[in-house]
Amino acid sequence: ATKDVKTGAEGNSVETPYLLKTAAEFTSMLKNDPDGHYKLANDIDFAGSSISPLFTNTTPFNGTFDGAGFTISNFVVGEEGKASTISYKYYGLFGYIGTNGAIKNVKLDAFKLYTLRSSSTTFVGLVAGYNAGLVENVTVTNSLINLEVSSSSSSNTTDSSGNLTGYYVGGIVGYAESHKDLGIVEVRNCHNEANICVV
């Protein structure tokens, strides 16, 4: 019972999700309701669109997103030979997925992240830099992550308070947090064909 984006009850449950048809709907609706429920109605092409990662640890995505087997393509941050001039902590389409967030049944094609890490901890993944929820049945093709790090950048470790430091990079997600009660990481049935370069 998927409802149109202009009806009144959409987004309140998995059974009545927001139905996303365009890149503009994707970015504005998810940003305005990070706890909502969403489903793609067709392929979405971000070519020519300017978009930054949508969510952070202070505003994570805690809704559900069902790609329904459709493809999202041409999500680009930065440009070839020039990393993004904006320094994010969480790179990727969703940036940060919270403990209640779920991304599933979607194909990502021709994603390109030209990213820069200087001194702060950085998380880079095409779906999300940081995942504390569920990522399932995601396929990545024809994509690239290029992360530039400064000579002073440290490798992955933790500080004296147990906080992550360094840089974390993965084709699907950069860092997947294990569920404290279950001790498992919820990244399932995913296929990645992205090239990853750290320079």
Side-chain angles (χ1 to χ4, degrees), residues 19-149:
L19 191 60
L20 303 176
K21 301 174 184 176
T22 68
E25 286 178 354
F26 183 98
T27 54
S28 64
M29 295 183 74
L30 268 75
K31 192 71 172 177
N32 289 332
D33 187 3
D35 298 326
H37 302 277
Y38 302 88
K39 189 172 184 177
L40 286 187
N42 45 248
D43 295 339
I44 289 183
D45 188 346
F46 277 100
S49 301
S50 177
I51 178 175
S52 61
L54 297 172
F55 303 104
T56 68
N57 62 324
T58 56
T59 308
F61 179 71
N62 271 316
T64 63
F65 175 84
D66 184 354
F70 290 111
T71 299
I72 300 175
S73 58
N74 296 307
F75 172 72
V76 177
V77 174
E79 58 187 86
E80 187 171 3
K82 180 180 178 183
S84 171
T85 56
I86 303 172
S87 180
Y88 304 108
K89 184 170 184 177
Y90 305 101
Y91 286 90
L93 181 62
F94 286 85
Y96 193 109
I97 302 169
T99 55
N100 295 318
I103 312 297
K104 61 183 181 179
N105 306 326
V106 67
K107 300 173 184 177
L108 309 182
D109 184 65
F111 274 39
K112 293 180 175 60
L113 303 185
Y114 300 99
T115 63
L116 178 65
R117 190 261 182 179
S118 53
S119 59
S120 63
T121 304
T122 304
F123 302 89
V124 185
L126 296 175
V127 174
Y130 194 103
N131 172 49
L134 169 66
V135 177
E136 184 175 32
N137 297 328
V138 174
T139 299
V140 174
T141 55
N142 304 311
S143 297
L144 168 69
I145 294 173
N146 191 92
L147 172 64
E148 296 180 21
V149 298

